[in-house]
Amino acid sequence: MSTGDELRAAVSARRDLGPEFEDAVVESFLDRVGTEIDRRVDERVAQITPEQTAKVARPGPTEAQRLALAIVSMALGTIMTLVLVFAERAYGLIWIWLGIIVVNSIYNSNKKS
């Protein structure tokens, strides 16, 4: 039975049963439609091959995201450099800048866009 036929049957049942059964009729119709949608989705998912799944590319970071990371990294690195120099703890600078380099390198290594 098509969805249109089921809808007509639900409307007819609502007329026959009266407004006091409207919620039950609507709920029953929605359950049938939901079941049909699930069945169709399951059919389509079953038709997808592993090769098709492999072709679905996950987008990498956009140019704007790369630029934003670079700006934030430089700003935070500069601020931390100033803080550590004025606090006379400059020995921590290498770790801060090394961390910034590693994070930016990893983030930008999966360029896909």
Side-chain angles (χ1 to χ4, degrees), residues 10-111:
V11 170
S12 176
R14 191 257 178 221
R15 280 190 211 128
D16 293 344
L17 297 172
E20 59 273 0
F21 290 100
E22 183 172 326
D23 289 344
V25 170
V26 169
E27 188 174 317
S28 173
F29 171 73
L30 291 176
D31 284 343
R32 286 192 301 256
V33 169
T35 301
E36 178 64 16
I37 289 171
D38 290 343
R39 184 190 64 76
R40 289 181 185 182
V41 168
D42 290 343
E43 275 181 10
R44 288 183 185 156
V45 168
Q47 293 173 354
I48 296 175
T49 64
E51 293 81 28
Q52 290 170 322
T53 304
K55 289 180 183 176
V56 177
R58 293 200 170 111
T62 65
E63 289 298 321
Q65 290 170 327
R66 283 191 206 96
L67 178 62
L69 178 63
I71 291 170
V72 169
S73 295
M74 293 305 295
L76 290 176
T78 303
I79 291 168
M80 289 305 299
T81 298
L82 292 172
V83 167
L84 290 176
V85 166
F86 286 123
E88 297 178 0
R89 296 178 192 240
Y91 56 86
L93 289 177
I94 187 72
W95 298 112
I96 290 172
W97 286 103
L98 186 62
I100 289 171
I101 291 168
V102 168
V103 167
N104 278 273
S105 297
I106 291 171
Y107 189 78
N108 287 306
S109 68
N110 71 2
K111 265 186 166 178

Side-chain angles (χ1 to χ4, degrees), residues 2-12 29:
S2 73
T3 306
D5 292 339
E6 288 189 29
L7 179 58
R8 282 188 277 286
V11 170
S12 176
F29 171 73

